[in-house]
Short mmCIF file of all heavy atoms in Angstrom, two decimals:
data_model
loop_
_atom_site.label_atom_id
_atom_site.label_comp_id
_atom_site.label_asym_id
_atom_site.label_seq_id
_atom_site.Cartn_x
_atom_site.Cartn_y
_atom_site.Cartn_z
N ALA A 1 11.23 3.97 -23.27
CA ALA A 1 10.20 3.09 -22.69
C ALA A 1 9.11 3.89 -21.99
O ALA A 1 8.82 3.67 -20.81
CB ALA A 1 10.85 2.06 -21.77
N ALA A 2 8.53 4.87 -22.68
CA ALA A 2 7.55 5.76 -22.04
C ALA A 2 6.36 5.04 -21.48
O ALA A 2 5.74 5.48 -20.51
CB ALA A 2 7.09 6.81 -23.07
N GLY A 3 6.01 3.90 -22.07
CA GLY A 3 4.82 3.17 -21.59
C GLY A 3 4.93 2.70 -20.18
O GLY A 3 3.90 2.50 -19.49
N HIS A 4 6.15 2.52 -19.67
CA HIS A 4 6.34 2.04 -18.30
C HIS A 4 5.77 3.02 -17.28
O HIS A 4 5.30 2.59 -16.20
CB HIS A 4 7.82 1.83 -17.96
CG HIS A 4 8.42 0.69 -18.69
ND1 HIS A 4 9.75 0.37 -18.65
CD2 HIS A 4 7.88 -0.27 -19.48
CE1 HIS A 4 10.03 -0.73 -19.35
NE2 HIS A 4 8.90 -1.13 -19.87
N PHE A 5 5.82 4.31 -17.57
CA PHE A 5 5.38 5.29 -16.64
C PHE A 5 3.89 5.18 -16.32
O PHE A 5 3.48 5.38 -15.20
CB PHE A 5 5.73 6.68 -17.14
CG PHE A 5 5.41 7.82 -16.19
CD1 PHE A 5 6.06 7.90 -14.99
CD2 PHE A 5 4.43 8.75 -16.47
CE1 PHE A 5 5.76 8.93 -14.08
CE2 PHE A 5 4.12 9.77 -15.62
CZ PHE A 5 4.76 9.85 -14.39
N ARG A 6 3.10 4.81 -17.32
CA ARG A 6 1.67 4.66 -17.10
C ARG A 6 1.42 3.53 -16.10
O ARG A 6 0.57 3.62 -15.20
CB ARG A 6 0.96 4.40 -18.40
CG ARG A 6 0.91 5.60 -19.33
CD ARG A 6 -0.10 5.36 -20.47
NE ARG A 6 0.40 4.32 -21.37
CZ ARG A 6 1.18 4.52 -22.39
NH1 ARG A 6 1.63 5.73 -22.66
NH2 ARG A 6 1.55 3.47 -23.15
N PHE A 7 2.13 2.43 -16.28
CA PHE A 7 1.97 1.30 -15.39
C PHE A 7 2.44 1.64 -13.99
O PHE A 7 1.85 1.21 -13.00
CB PHE A 7 2.72 0.10 -15.93
CG PHE A 7 2.15 -0.54 -17.13
CD1 PHE A 7 2.76 -0.41 -18.38
CD2 PHE A 7 0.99 -1.23 -17.07
CE1 PHE A 7 2.22 -0.98 -19.51
CE2 PHE A 7 0.37 -1.79 -18.21
CZ PHE A 7 1.01 -1.65 -19.44
N MET A 8 3.50 2.45 -13.87
CA MET A 8 3.99 2.84 -12.54
C MET A 8 2.95 3.70 -11.82
O MET A 8 2.71 3.52 -10.63
CB MET A 8 5.29 3.66 -12.69
CG MET A 8 6.49 2.81 -13.03
SD MET A 8 7.97 3.81 -13.12
CE MET A 8 8.14 4.40 -11.45
N LYS A 9 2.29 4.58 -12.55
CA LYS A 9 1.26 5.45 -11.93
C LYS A 9 0.11 4.60 -11.47
O LYS A 9 -0.43 4.82 -10.35
CB LYS A 9 0.79 6.51 -12.95
CG LYS A 9 1.77 7.64 -13.20
CD LYS A 9 1.08 8.83 -13.79
CE LYS A 9 0.55 8.54 -15.20
NZ LYS A 9 0.00 9.75 -15.84
N VAL A 10 -0.34 3.67 -12.27
CA VAL A 10 -1.45 2.79 -11.87
C VAL A 10 -1.05 1.95 -10.66
O VAL A 10 -1.87 1.83 -9.70
CB VAL A 10 -1.85 1.82 -13.03
CG1 VAL A 10 -2.80 0.78 -12.57
CG2 VAL A 10 -2.45 2.66 -14.18
N LEU A 11 0.15 1.41 -10.66
CA LEU A 11 0.56 0.56 -9.56
C LEU A 11 0.63 1.35 -8.25
O LEU A 11 0.10 0.92 -7.22
CB LEU A 11 1.95 -0.04 -9.87
CG LEU A 11 2.46 -1.10 -8.83
CD1 LEU A 11 3.24 -2.18 -9.56
CD2 LEU A 11 3.34 -0.48 -7.78
N HIS A 12 1.24 2.52 -8.27
CA HIS A 12 1.41 3.30 -7.04
C HIS A 12 0.09 3.90 -6.56
O HIS A 12 -0.17 3.95 -5.35
CB HIS A 12 2.44 4.38 -7.22
CG HIS A 12 3.83 3.85 -7.20
ND1 HIS A 12 4.59 3.80 -6.07
CD2 HIS A 12 4.61 3.31 -8.19
CE1 HIS A 12 5.77 3.27 -6.32
NE2 HIS A 12 5.82 2.94 -7.62
N THR A 13 -0.77 4.29 -7.52
CA THR A 13 -2.10 4.79 -7.10
C THR A 13 -2.89 3.66 -6.44
O THR A 13 -3.54 3.85 -5.39
CB THR A 13 -2.85 5.36 -8.31
OG1 THR A 13 -2.09 6.45 -8.84
CG2 THR A 13 -4.24 5.85 -7.89
N GLY A 14 -2.87 2.51 -7.08
CA GLY A 14 -3.55 1.34 -6.53
C GLY A 14 -3.03 0.94 -5.15
O GLY A 14 -3.79 0.56 -4.27
N TRP A 15 -1.73 1.07 -4.98
CA TRP A 15 -1.06 0.74 -3.67
C TRP A 15 -1.66 1.67 -2.55
O TRP A 15 -2.04 1.18 -1.52
CB TRP A 15 0.44 0.93 -3.82
CG TRP A 15 1.25 0.69 -2.61
CD1 TRP A 15 1.38 -0.50 -1.93
CD2 TRP A 15 2.10 1.62 -1.93
NE1 TRP A 15 2.27 -0.35 -0.87
CE2 TRP A 15 2.69 0.93 -0.90
CE3 TRP A 15 2.36 2.97 -2.17
CZ2 TRP A 15 3.59 1.58 0.00
CZ3 TRP A 15 3.28 3.59 -1.32
CH2 TRP A 15 3.89 2.92 -0.26
N PHE A 16 -1.73 2.95 -2.81
CA PHE A 16 -2.26 3.85 -1.84
C PHE A 16 -3.74 3.55 -1.46
O PHE A 16 -4.11 3.50 -0.35
CB PHE A 16 -2.16 5.30 -2.29
CG PHE A 16 -0.79 5.90 -2.14
CD1 PHE A 16 0.03 6.15 -3.26
CD2 PHE A 16 -0.29 6.23 -0.89
CE1 PHE A 16 1.26 6.72 -3.10
CE2 PHE A 16 0.96 6.79 -0.73
CZ PHE A 16 1.74 7.01 -1.83
N VAL A 17 -4.52 3.32 -2.52
CA VAL A 17 -5.93 3.00 -2.32
C VAL A 17 -6.09 1.67 -1.57
O VAL A 17 -6.87 1.58 -0.60
CB VAL A 17 -6.71 2.89 -3.67
CG1 VAL A 17 -8.12 2.40 -3.49
CG2 VAL A 17 -6.66 4.29 -4.34
N ALA A 18 -5.32 0.67 -1.93
CA ALA A 18 -5.41 -0.64 -1.26
C ALA A 18 -5.00 -0.60 0.17
O ALA A 18 -5.61 -1.26 1.03
CB ALA A 18 -4.59 -1.67 -2.03
N MET A 19 -3.98 0.20 0.50
CA MET A 19 -3.57 0.28 1.92
C MET A 19 -4.67 0.83 2.78
O MET A 19 -4.92 0.29 3.90
CB MET A 19 -2.32 1.19 2.05
CG MET A 19 -1.03 0.57 1.61
SD MET A 19 0.38 1.56 2.12
CE MET A 19 0.27 2.99 1.01
N VAL A 20 -5.36 1.85 2.26
CA VAL A 20 -6.46 2.46 3.04
C VAL A 20 -7.65 1.47 3.14
O VAL A 20 -8.22 1.26 4.22
CB VAL A 20 -6.88 3.76 2.40
CG1 VAL A 20 -8.18 4.31 3.09
CG2 VAL A 20 -5.81 4.82 2.49
N ALA A 21 -7.97 0.87 2.00
CA ALA A 21 -9.16 -0.02 1.95
C ALA A 21 -8.95 -1.25 2.83
O ALA A 21 -9.85 -1.63 3.57
CB ALA A 21 -9.39 -0.45 0.49
N GLU A 22 -7.79 -1.85 2.74
CA GLU A 22 -7.59 -3.08 3.56
C GLU A 22 -7.62 -2.80 5.06
O GLU A 22 -8.23 -3.54 5.83
CB GLU A 22 -6.26 -3.77 3.14
CG GLU A 22 -6.07 -5.07 3.91
CD GLU A 22 -4.87 -5.88 3.47
OE1 GLU A 22 -4.19 -5.45 2.50
OE2 GLU A 22 -4.61 -6.88 4.09
N ALA A 23 -6.91 -1.74 5.45
CA ALA A 23 -6.93 -1.43 6.91
C ALA A 23 -8.30 -1.06 7.44
O ALA A 23 -8.65 -1.42 8.55
CB ALA A 23 -5.92 -0.32 7.17
N GLY A 24 -9.05 -0.34 6.59
CA GLY A 24 -10.37 0.13 7.02
C GLY A 24 -11.46 -0.89 6.85
O GLY A 24 -12.15 -1.29 7.82
N TRP A 25 -11.70 -1.37 5.62
CA TRP A 25 -12.80 -2.26 5.33
C TRP A 25 -12.62 -3.65 5.95
O TRP A 25 -13.59 -4.26 6.38
CB TRP A 25 -12.98 -2.39 3.84
CG TRP A 25 -13.42 -1.13 3.20
CD1 TRP A 25 -13.90 0.00 3.79
CD2 TRP A 25 -13.43 -0.82 1.79
NE1 TRP A 25 -14.20 0.99 2.89
CE2 TRP A 25 -13.89 0.50 1.63
CE3 TRP A 25 -13.05 -1.51 0.65
CZ2 TRP A 25 -14.04 1.12 0.38
CZ3 TRP A 25 -13.19 -0.93 -0.62
CH2 TRP A 25 -13.65 0.38 -0.76
N LEU A 26 -11.38 -4.12 5.96
CA LEU A 26 -11.15 -5.46 6.52
C LEU A 26 -10.75 -5.43 7.99
O LEU A 26 -10.39 -6.44 8.59
CB LEU A 26 -10.06 -6.19 5.72
CG LEU A 26 -10.38 -6.42 4.24
CD1 LEU A 26 -9.27 -7.19 3.53
CD2 LEU A 26 -11.73 -7.17 4.08
N ARG A 27 -10.79 -4.21 8.56
CA ARG A 27 -10.51 -4.04 10.01
C ARG A 27 -9.23 -4.67 10.49
O ARG A 27 -9.18 -5.40 11.48
CB ARG A 27 -11.68 -4.64 10.82
CG ARG A 27 -13.04 -4.12 10.46
CD ARG A 27 -13.25 -2.76 11.02
NE ARG A 27 -14.59 -2.23 10.71
CZ ARG A 27 -15.02 -1.01 11.05
NH1 ARG A 27 -14.23 -0.21 11.71
NH2 ARG A 27 -16.24 -0.65 10.77
N ARG A 28 -8.19 -4.41 9.75
CA ARG A 28 -6.89 -4.97 10.13
C ARG A 28 -6.46 -4.39 11.49
O ARG A 28 -6.51 -3.17 11.69
CB ARG A 28 -5.83 -4.64 9.11
CG ARG A 28 -6.09 -5.29 7.73
CD ARG A 28 -6.12 -6.80 7.84
NE ARG A 28 -6.17 -7.40 6.51
CZ ARG A 28 -6.70 -8.57 6.23
NH1 ARG A 28 -7.23 -9.29 7.18
NH2 ARG A 28 -6.62 -9.05 4.99
N PRO A 29 -5.96 -5.24 12.39
CA PRO A 29 -5.54 -4.74 13.73
C PRO A 29 -4.16 -4.10 13.67
O PRO A 29 -3.41 -4.32 12.69
CB PRO A 29 -5.52 -6.04 14.56
CG PRO A 29 -5.16 -7.07 13.57
CD PRO A 29 -5.86 -6.73 12.28
N PHE A 30 -3.83 -3.37 14.65
CA PHE A 30 -2.50 -2.79 14.80
C PHE A 30 -1.65 -3.75 15.64
O PHE A 30 -2.01 -4.07 16.76
CB PHE A 30 -2.58 -1.44 15.46
CG PHE A 30 -1.21 -0.81 15.71
CD1 PHE A 30 -0.45 -0.30 14.68
CD2 PHE A 30 -0.71 -0.75 17.02
CE1 PHE A 30 0.80 0.25 14.93
CE2 PHE A 30 0.52 -0.20 17.26
CZ PHE A 30 1.29 0.31 16.19
N ARG A 31 -0.55 -4.22 15.10
CA ARG A 31 0.36 -5.13 15.78
C ARG A 31 1.67 -4.38 16.07
O ARG A 31 2.45 -4.11 15.16
CB ARG A 31 0.66 -6.36 14.96
CG ARG A 31 -0.55 -7.11 14.46
CD ARG A 31 -1.26 -7.85 15.59
NE ARG A 31 -2.32 -8.71 15.09
CZ ARG A 31 -3.30 -9.19 15.83
NH1 ARG A 31 -3.32 -8.89 17.13
NH2 ARG A 31 -4.20 -10.00 15.30
N PRO A 32 1.92 -3.96 17.34
CA PRO A 32 3.07 -3.11 17.57
C PRO A 32 4.40 -3.66 17.16
O PRO A 32 5.23 -2.94 16.57
CB PRO A 32 3.03 -2.96 19.11
CG PRO A 32 1.59 -3.13 19.47
CD PRO A 32 1.06 -4.15 18.50
N ALA A 33 4.64 -4.96 17.35
CA ALA A 33 5.90 -5.54 16.98
C ALA A 33 6.08 -5.53 15.45
O ALA A 33 7.16 -5.16 14.94
CB ALA A 33 6.00 -7.02 17.49
N LEU A 34 5.04 -5.92 14.75
CA LEU A 34 5.10 -5.88 13.27
C LEU A 34 5.27 -4.46 12.76
O LEU A 34 6.04 -4.20 11.86
CB LEU A 34 3.86 -6.50 12.69
CG LEU A 34 3.71 -6.49 11.19
CD1 LEU A 34 4.86 -7.28 10.54
CD2 LEU A 34 2.37 -7.05 10.76
N ALA A 35 4.54 -3.53 13.36
CA ALA A 35 4.63 -2.11 12.95
C ALA A 35 6.04 -1.58 13.18
O ALA A 35 6.57 -0.79 12.40
CB ALA A 35 3.63 -1.30 13.73
N ALA A 36 6.71 -1.98 14.28
CA ALA A 36 8.03 -1.49 14.58
C ALA A 36 9.04 -1.96 13.54
O ALA A 36 9.83 -1.20 13.00
CB ALA A 36 8.46 -1.97 15.99
N VAL A 37 8.97 -3.25 13.16
CA VAL A 37 9.88 -3.76 12.13
C VAL A 37 9.55 -3.12 10.79
O VAL A 37 10.46 -2.71 10.06
CB VAL A 37 9.70 -5.32 12.04
CG1 VAL A 37 10.55 -5.86 10.88
CG2 VAL A 37 10.16 -5.96 13.36
N ALA A 38 8.25 -3.06 10.43
CA ALA A 38 7.87 -2.42 9.17
C ALA A 38 8.31 -0.99 9.11
O ALA A 38 8.73 -0.47 8.06
CB ALA A 38 6.35 -2.53 8.99
N GLY A 39 8.20 -0.29 10.23
CA GLY A 39 8.63 1.12 10.27
C GLY A 39 10.12 1.26 9.99
O GLY A 39 10.51 2.16 9.22
N LEU A 40 10.92 0.41 10.56
CA LEU A 40 12.37 0.46 10.31
C LEU A 40 12.70 0.20 8.83
O LEU A 40 13.55 0.86 8.21
CB LEU A 40 13.09 -0.56 11.21
CG LEU A 40 13.14 -0.24 12.70
CD1 LEU A 40 13.75 -1.42 13.47
CD2 LEU A 40 13.92 1.02 12.96
N VAL A 41 11.98 -0.80 8.28
CA VAL A 41 12.22 -1.12 6.82
C VAL A 41 11.77 0.06 5.97
O VAL A 41 12.45 0.43 4.99
CB VAL A 41 11.46 -2.41 6.45
CG1 VAL A 41 11.59 -2.67 4.94
CG2 VAL A 41 12.01 -3.58 7.21
N ALA A 42 10.65 0.69 6.30
CA ALA A 42 10.14 1.80 5.53
C ALA A 42 11.10 3.00 5.59
O ALA A 42 11.33 3.68 4.61
CB ALA A 42 8.78 2.21 6.00
#
C-alpha cells in the first residue's frame, strides 16, 4: 500500500502548517488550563 505514504506526508505537513497559521493569523489566545491538559495528552 505504497500510496498511503503520500497521503500521510500531505496530512502531517498540512498539520504543521495549519497549527502555525491558526495560532498566528487567527490570533488564538493561550489558555493555561487547556494547554496543561493538551500537554499531558501530547
Side-chain angles (χ1 to χ4, degrees):
H4 290 175
F5 184 64
R6 291 192 293 272
F7 290 109
M8 286 181 64
K9 287 197 297 185
V10 170
L11 187 146
H12 284 267
T13 301
W15 179 64
F16 281 109
V17 172
M19 283 193 288
V20 172
E22 183 173 355
W25 294 346
L26 298 183
R27 305 285 182 182
R28 296 300 189 206
F30 176 74
R31 307 288 188 197
L34 177 61
V37 174
L40 290 174
V41 174

